[in-house]
Amino acid sequence: MGRDWQHLPPELLQVIGKKVTSLAVYIRFRTVCHPWQSACSLRPDHLPLQLPWLMLPYPSIGNNDSTRRFYDLATSKIHELDLPETCGVSICGSSHGWLVLHKGQMLSLLNPISRATISLPPFSGPPTALGIAPGHLIGSDAENFFENWEANQYAINHTDNVMVCKAILTSSPVLDPNCKVFVLTISKWSLAFCKIGDTCWTVIEFESDWATRDIMYSNDFLYTIDLFGEITKYNVNNPSRTLLGGGPNMNLFAFHLVERVSGDILLIDEKRIFVNEVLIKTEHTVYKLRNDGEPEWIEVIDVGQNVLFLCGRYNAFSLSSANLQFSEWGSHCLCYDSVWTEQTNRQESCGSWYNHNIKLVRLDDGTFTDITGDLGSFQVKAHWQNSIWLTPSLDQLLP
């Protein structure tokens, strides 16, 4: 007689489940049958830090296909997930395993693995104010700004166009009741945040001047960087704004703020070199913000036990190589989605088509490794969602 695998003791299934170190394998383990699913934790805390997945591009508007493709670095496989929540929306952020979805005046959070969703306050309606006057005001104008504060003056109407350039989460929205969502927008205010459960947004900076190029959160502080490499630090608990300075003489191209595991603030500058619209090579320069005196950017190649991940214009983060599931990834590494022009002006569309693959570069010696082959050809134009990294998690709202 064959073994009755469905009716193994729950205690044994739990022991087996805790031996699994891959999130993808753990998901398959739980879905074998209902008894196995019931015996395994919805929020496994034994899994090591996972390598991220790369969500591949897709047409975000005018497309009823809800299948999304994710390249899994750990297994070298592509997972296909049915995510109808992503149809007709843009994805403006990815943090702590959650995607930030944006459509019109609405933002929401989606965990594509657990399919949990969380609604955020609509942009429409009056915001509250953090208590920092607009940066262009000086002297008495700044001091008296909130005496004449009228929230309705900065309300975003239903007809207003709001572009969310980037959204980040401070922590897991289901594990941390103090989780905040920060957004960088192009609207009547450029920086704002809300806590999970808030009914409106809190404005940090008013009336965007298009200068802010990236944002990063670390230890109760929000950091921004502008076109000239200048860093501003915001304290959202004791409202204040501090100009840290930075690199007015830096010749930056496409740059990203990243927090190293140690807490250091890094700036990654990505330069792509093209000849006749063909990508010849990609160069990365990493700087560390020295803040023990006059703040300045110092070029570094030693990023310690960190792997830096880079994708597109607003998607960069670091993970500890010491805690990764695969220790062979080592230190001083930068992993990025390499994009190059395949063909322009195809007959069926005037948009450019780009190929994707993933590369790993060692910052200390400049050597490159192709992690994947060609992941496919995609358009880069309006109504196409760009690729984005996701750190997979099973966070979900428990009943």
Side-chain angles (χ1 to χ4, degrees):
M1 178 181 293
R3 293 183 175 88
D4 187 0
W5 294 104
Q6 293 190 45
H7 295 92
L8 292 176
E11 297 81 4
L12 178 58
L13 291 172
Q14 292 170 7
V15 171
I16 297 173
K18 289 184 177 180
K19 299 293 184 181
V20 178
T21 59
S22 165
L23 182 139
V25 174
Y26 187 84
I27 293 173
R28 291 197 295 271
F29 181 80
R30 289 189 71 248
T31 56
V32 168
C33 58
H34 183 69
W36 287 35
Q37 185 179 55
S38 299
C40 296
S41 173
L42 289 171
R43 294 178 180 168
D45 56 8
H46 72 281
L47 293 177
L49 184 64
Q50 303 288 303
L51 285 171
W53 296 3
L54 182 69
M55 185 179 187
L56 299 178
Y58 64 91
S60 57
I61 296 179
N63 174 35
N64 294 323
D65 183 4
S66 60
T67 301
R68 305 292 171 247
R69 301 169 70 235
F70 296 81
Y71 184 86
D72 182 349
L73 284 172
T75 62
S76 301
K77 295 180 179 179
I78 290 181
H79 304 299
E80 292 189 347
L81 304 181
D82 183 30
L83 300 174
E85 301 90 345
T86 61
C87 289
V89 305
S90 63
I91 298 175
C92 55
S94 174
S95 279
H96 299 277
W98 293 74
L99 299 175
V100 186
L101 311 183
H102 174 224
K103 183 177 182 180
Q105 304 289 332
M106 301 301 298
L107 281 185
S108 62
L109 306 180
L110 168 69
N111 184 317
I113 310 299
S114 67
R115 295 289 300 279
T117 59
I118 298 175
S119 296
L120 298 178
F123 285 133
S124 57
T128 59
L130 179 63
I132 300 176
H136 65 273
L137 298 181
I138 59 175
S140 60
D141 289 337
E143 294 175 1
N144 298 327
F145 177 77
F146 289 104
E147 292 183 7
N148 303 315
W149 158 259
E150 293 184 7
N152 286 326
Q153 180 182 356
Y154 292 95
I156 296 176
N157 301 319
H158 291 283
T159 57
D160 290 341
N161 181 36
V162 180
M163 179 187 297
V164 181
C165 302
K166 181 173 182 177
I168 55 176
L169 281 67
T170 59
S171 54
S172 165
V174 300
L175 299 180
D176 180 8
N178 295 313
C179 171
K180 298 182 182 69
V181 181
F182 288 90
V183 292
L184 168 62
T185 78
I186 297 174
S187 66
K188 292 181 179 178
W189 30 265
S190 58
L191 293 174
F193 72 92
C194 71
K195 285 181 61 175
I196 303 299
D198 281 354
T199 58
C200 65
W201 292 87
T202 298
V203 179
I204 303 174
E205 282 285 8
F206 301 83
E207 299 179 312
S208 169
D209 58 6
W210 296 68
T212 303
R213 283 297 179 262
D214 202 3
I215 61 176
M216 186 199 79
Y217 177 85
S218 174
N219 296 323
D220 291 330
F221 293 99
L222 181 72
Y223 295 84
T224 68
I225 185 170
D226 68 12
L227 284 168
F228 309 103
E230 296 280 1
I231 293 285
T232 302
K233 179 173 72 172
Y234 298 87
N235 186 335
V236 298
N237 294 320
N238 180 21
S240 64
R241 174 177 52 218
T242 305
L243 181 64
L244 296 181
N249 298 319
M250 298 172 69
N251 185 18
L252 299 174
F253 292 87
F255 47 90
H256 310 259
L257 284 176
V258 178
E259 180 186 16
R260 198 161 67 172
V261 176
S262 63
D264 291 330
I265 298 176
L266 301 180
L267 174 65
I268 305 173
D269 185 28
E270 181 179 57
K271 181 181 180 181
R272 296 178 180 178
I273 301 174
F274 292 86
V275 175
N276 296 326
E277 297 187 349
V278 176
L279 180 66
I280 301 301
K281 63 178 179 178
T282 303
E283 298 177 344
H284 297 92
T285 306
V286 181
Y287 302 88
K288 182 177 74 172
L289 182 66
R290 190 174 73 182
N291 197 25
D292 54 357
E294 186 69 22
E296 63 175 323
W297 290 111
I298 305 298
E299 184 175 345
V300 296
I301 58 174
D302 180 2
V303 294
Q305 289 189 317
N306 290 260
V307 180
L308 309 179
F309 291 89
L310 187 66
C311 178
R313 182 176 174 185
Y314 291 108
N315 189 208
F317 58 95
S318 70
L319 295 178
S320 168
S321 57
N323 297 326
L324 279 175
Q325 180 186 1
F326 295 91
S327 58
E328 60 267 26
W329 274 64
S331 304
H332 314 305
C333 291
L334 187 148
C335 181
Y336 68 100
D337 176 24
S338 178
V339 183
W340 70 98
T341 305
E342 176 208 27
Q343 184 177 352
T344 58
N345 299 323
R346 287 188 178 189
Q347 291 183 354
E348 64 268 25
S349 173
C350 62
S352 297
W353 289 74
Y354 292 83
N355 287 86
H356 287 247
N357 75 350
I358 300 174
K359 294 183 181 294
L360 185 74
V361 57
R362 286 193 59 89
L363 296 170
D364 51 357
D365 59 19
T367 56
F368 283 81
T369 303
D370 282 322
I371 301 297
T372 68
D374 188 354
L375 293 176
S377 178
F378 309 92
Q379 278 189 294
V380 177
K381 64 172 189 176
H383 310 319
W384 269 75
Q385 175 63 48
N386 292 331
S387 57
I388 191 168
W389 287 112
L390 170 80
T391 50
S393 80
L394 279 174
D395 283 356
Q396 53 190 297
L397 304 171
L398 298 179

